[in-house]
């Protein structure tokens, strides 16, 4: 990668990415490396959320939808992101066209969280062709993920 007379280089060491920039024709000796943190975001591959409704909690549907939107957004803001978020039953409506949480789910996916929607559920609601974020999965994979990780049901 090159820009504005600067050579860029990147390498991975011990799970960290190191970026180097050097102005062409200029060599400076630096006694200690300069470290900058791009982000302190991490993904906990051992944590799975299972969301089985498009609303959070029981009671008023409008409030439940607001709470779910806030919950999904909050997942994008916390430092320790879940490794996987699985959507079941009416929860699959959150990953399809028209959902109010698509931007948050896309951001979560970009940050490294796996987004999975139950294929049987998408078929039941007629939404398989309207999936916008994540991928379609089956119950076998869902059970495997839940057995292999700490699982929180929402």
């Amino acid at each position: 990668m090159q820009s504005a007379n600067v050579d860029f280089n990147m390498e991975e060491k011990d799970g960290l990415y190191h970026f180097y920039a050097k102005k062409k024709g200029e060599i400076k000796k630096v006694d200690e490396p300069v470290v900058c943190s791009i982000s302190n975001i991490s993904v906990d591959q051992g944590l799975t959320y299972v969301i089985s409704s498009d609303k959070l909690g029981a009671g008023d549907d409008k409030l439940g939808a607001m709470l779910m939107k806030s919950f999904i957004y909050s997942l994008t803001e916390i430092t320790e992101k879940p490794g996987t978020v699985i959507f079941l039953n009416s929860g699959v409506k959150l990953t399809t066209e028209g959902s109010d949480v698509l931007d948050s789910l896309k951001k979560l996916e970009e940050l490294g969280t796996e987004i999975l929607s139950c294929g049987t559920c998408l078929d039941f609601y007629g939404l398989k062709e309207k999936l916008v974020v994540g991928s379609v999965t089956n119950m076998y994979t869902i059970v495997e993920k839940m057995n292999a990780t700490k699982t929180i049901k929402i």
Side-chain angles (χ1 to χ4, degrees):
M1 180 168 32
Q2 295 182 346
S3 175
N5 288 329
V6 177
D7 288 325
F8 293 93
N9 189 22
M10 177 189 75
E11 68 182 78
E12 191 239 342
K13 291 181 187 173
D14 301 322
L16 297 175
Y17 288 94
H18 300 265
F19 295 90
Y20 303 94
K22 182 178 95 174
K23 187 168 182 161
K24 290 180 182 176
E26 179 182 331
I27 299 175
K28 277 189 173 181
K29 181 168 173 32
V30 178
D31 294 329
E32 293 182 35
V34 177
V35 177
C36 66
S37 174
I38 295 173
S39 171
N40 63 350
I41 295 170
S42 65
V43 176
D44 182 353
Q45 294 300 333
L47 178 61
T48 297
Y49 281 93
V50 176
I51 298 177
S52 59
S53 175
D54 57 338
K55 296 164 187 64
L56 185 59
D60 186 79
D61 285 348
K62 186 174 180 180
L63 175 59
M66 289 171 42
L67 291 172
M68 183 59 78
K69 184 175 182 178
S70 179
F71 176 79
I72 299 287
Y73 173 77
S74 295
L75 288 178
T76 69
E77 295 297 309
I78 59 175
T79 302
E80 193 79 18
K81 310 289 187 250
T84 306
V85 180
I86 298 170
F87 294 88
L88 299 170
N89 208 322
S90 66
V92 298
K93 294 177 182 180
L94 298 170
T95 62
T96 59
E97 290 175 9
S99 168
D100 288 338
V101 299
L102 290 175
D103 288 340
S104 293
L105 289 176
K106 286 177 184 176
K107 180 178 179 184
L108 199 58
E109 188 174 49
E110 288 168 8
L111 294 170
T113 297
E114 181 180 30
I115 308 293
L116 299 174
S117 292
C118 165
T120 301
C121 306
L122 289 165
D123 284 338
F124 180 84
Y125 290 107
L127 296 172
K128 193 174 260 181
E129 302 303 318
K130 296 181 179 185
L131 185 67
V132 174
V133 63
S135 59
V136 178
T137 193
N138 57 47
M139 195 56 68
Y140 182 82
T141 300
I142 291 169
V143 170
E144 278 187 326
K145 290 274 185 189
M146 291 175 73
N147 282 337
T149 62
K150 176 181 173 187
T151 301
I152 300 171
K153 184 182 178 300
I154 303 299

